[in-house]
Amino acid sequence: MKLNVAVQMDPIARINVRGDSTFALLLEAQKRGHGLSYYTPDKVSLRGDEVAAPVQTLTVRDDAGDHFTLGEARREPLASFDVILLRQDPPFDLAYITSTHLLERLQPKTLVVNDPSAVRNAPEKLFVMDFPRLMPPTLVSRDLDEINAFRDEHGAVVMKPLHGHGGAAVFRVMPQDMNFGSLFDMFSVTFKEPWVIQRFIPGVKHGDKRIILVDGEFAGAVNRVPAADDLRSNMVRGGVAKATELTPREQEICATLGPALRARGLLFVGIDVIDDQLTEINVTSPTGIRAIAGLGGPDIAAKIWDVIEKRRGGK
């Protein structure tokens, strides 16, 4: 029996189908005969104990510029779906947190991927702090004295907002950096939450590896090499995707994280590793599926749906 699947995502008309992991998941679901529906997170409502949204049937095509067809909107209780893909992009703000509270009400009748309570309780730059022995030295703070003490100890650091995404507002701060005072002032005004200050890893010039884990198991990886004049390796910031394999240390990182991810219901996770050091655990809307497949790697979308179908009891 086919599954009745809804995807909660940002406007589908805006996505870049060539690199979008959500689109890869939708193509695979359609290939398997599952019914697809679509809605955006701003349309979700809670009335009494019913979570509902105006959903539209969805057909997808791997054709940039003509990649989807939507049906007429109809109000639908979200509990009527077998599976909901939680695939809206960050920022991880109060709107995102509220969305997880609403979707949490659908469980266990409806399988939400990733588990909304786990997404809410595992912010990407905080959850990773559960595994300090796998990481470079890292401070989460907005206190100037703490930051200066950390810089004195570690020299060059990377400074970024705790709930940032896509490589935005990521800065390298050198020892005795004359720009630090202005940068501190800018962060203080712009970001209310603490910031991440992390020892700079020079090996980032050779790439920031995105490793995908499906149900806690290694599924594929891509090395994202930054442009010569940029610190950031995100492909939306000009990073170049390169084929790669795991080092023994990266295999150890995956083995260590796997049980914690499974226990939390985090089925589709992308971790970032620079020079054998874990820097982030991405759980909100991980990317990398199409880049890995495009480099001759495994079909991760198929692996994800294998797990989903198994959890839904072979419906």
Side-chain angles (χ1 to χ4, degrees), residues 150-186:
F150 187 87
R151 293 179 62 214
D152 288 344
E153 181 179 356
H154 295 291
V157 299
V158 169
M159 190 166 165
K160 54 190 174 182
L162 181 62
H163 297 306
H165 61 99
V170 177
F171 293 89
R172 182 177 68 169
V173 181
M174 301 301 291
Q176 309 302 319
D177 197 320
M178 295 179 66
N179 290 309
F180 175 71
S182 294
L183 183 63
F184 180 88
D185 291 344
M186 184 187 73

Side-chain angles (χ1 to χ4, degrees), residues 133-247:
R133 74 176 187 86
L134 304 178
M135 299 178 63
T138 301
L139 170 70
V140 177
S141 180
R142 59 183 292 130
D143 181 81
L144 180 59
D145 290 339
E146 283 286 335
I147 295 171
N148 279 334
F150 187 87
R151 293 179 62 214
D152 288 344
E153 181 179 356
H154 295 291
V157 299
V158 169
M159 190 166 165
K160 54 190 174 182
L162 181 62
H163 297 306
H165 61 99
V170 177
F171 293 89
R172 182 177 68 169
V173 181
M174 301 301 291
Q176 309 302 319
D177 197 320
M178 295 179 66
N179 290 309
F180 175 71
S182 294
L183 183 63
F184 180 88
D185 291 344
M186 184 187 73
F187 269 53
S188 297
V189 171
T190 307
F191 306 110
K192 295 181 179 180
E193 71 273 14
W195 320 313
V196 176
I197 301 91
Q198 199 163 64
R199 185 177 69 190
F200 175 66
I201 306 172
V204 70
K205 66 183 179 181
H206 302 300
D208 178 350
K209 197 172 293 189
R210 166 57 56 89
I211 301 172
I212 304 296
L213 293 96
V214 175
D215 201 23
E217 300 290 337
F218 169 71
V222 59
N223 192 34
R224 303 168 300 176
V225 181
D229 60 350
D230 203 330
L231 168 69
R232 303 163 301 174
S233 58
N234 311 69
M235 285 181 277
V236 295
R237 305 292 176 186
V240 177
K242 302 285 187 181
T244 189
E245 295 183 356
L246 296 194
T247 67

Side-chain angles (χ1 to χ4, degrees), residues 119-139:
V119 168
R120 183 175 66 248
N121 294 329
E124 291 156 357
K125 297 178 182 66
L126 274 178
F127 180 30
V128 70
M129 297 293 284
D130 287 0
F131 307 93
R133 74 176 187 86
L134 304 178
M135 299 178 63
T138 301
L139 170 70

Side-chain angles (χ1 to χ4, degrees), residues 48-172:
D49 62 355
E50 182 187 72
V51 181
V55 305
Q56 297 171 269
T57 57
L58 172 65
T59 303
V60 289
R61 296 173 294 278
D62 200 1
D63 184 4
D66 183 28
H67 58 280
F68 70 99
T69 299
L70 293 174
E72 292 295 321
R74 68 187 191 282
R75 185 184 184 278
E76 191 81 23
L78 296 184
S80 67
F81 290 94
D82 300 307
V83 178
I84 290 179
L85 301 177
L86 173 54
R87 291 294 302 174
Q88 71 207 63
D89 289 335
F92 189 72
D93 54 12
L94 284 175
Y96 210 121
I97 291 171
T98 301
S99 181
T100 67
H101 282 290
L102 297 179
L103 292 178
E104 189 177 7
R105 292 170 173 264
L106 305 176
Q107 298 186 120
K109 183 177 184 297
T110 298
L111 174 64
V112 184
V113 179
N114 283 323
D115 182 283
S117 62
V119 168
R120 183 175 66 248
N121 294 329
E124 291 156 357
K125 297 178 182 66
L126 274 178
F127 180 30
V128 70
M129 297 293 284
D130 287 0
F131 307 93
R133 74 176 187 86
L134 304 178
M135 299 178 63
T138 301
L139 170 70
V140 177
S141 180
R142 59 183 292 130
D143 181 81
L144 180 59
D145 290 339
E146 283 286 335
I147 295 171
N148 279 334
F150 187 87
R151 293 179 62 214
D152 288 344
E153 181 179 356
H154 295 291
V157 299
V158 169
M159 190 166 165
K160 54 190 174 182
L162 181 62
H163 297 306
H165 61 99
V170 177
F171 293 89
R172 182 177 68 169

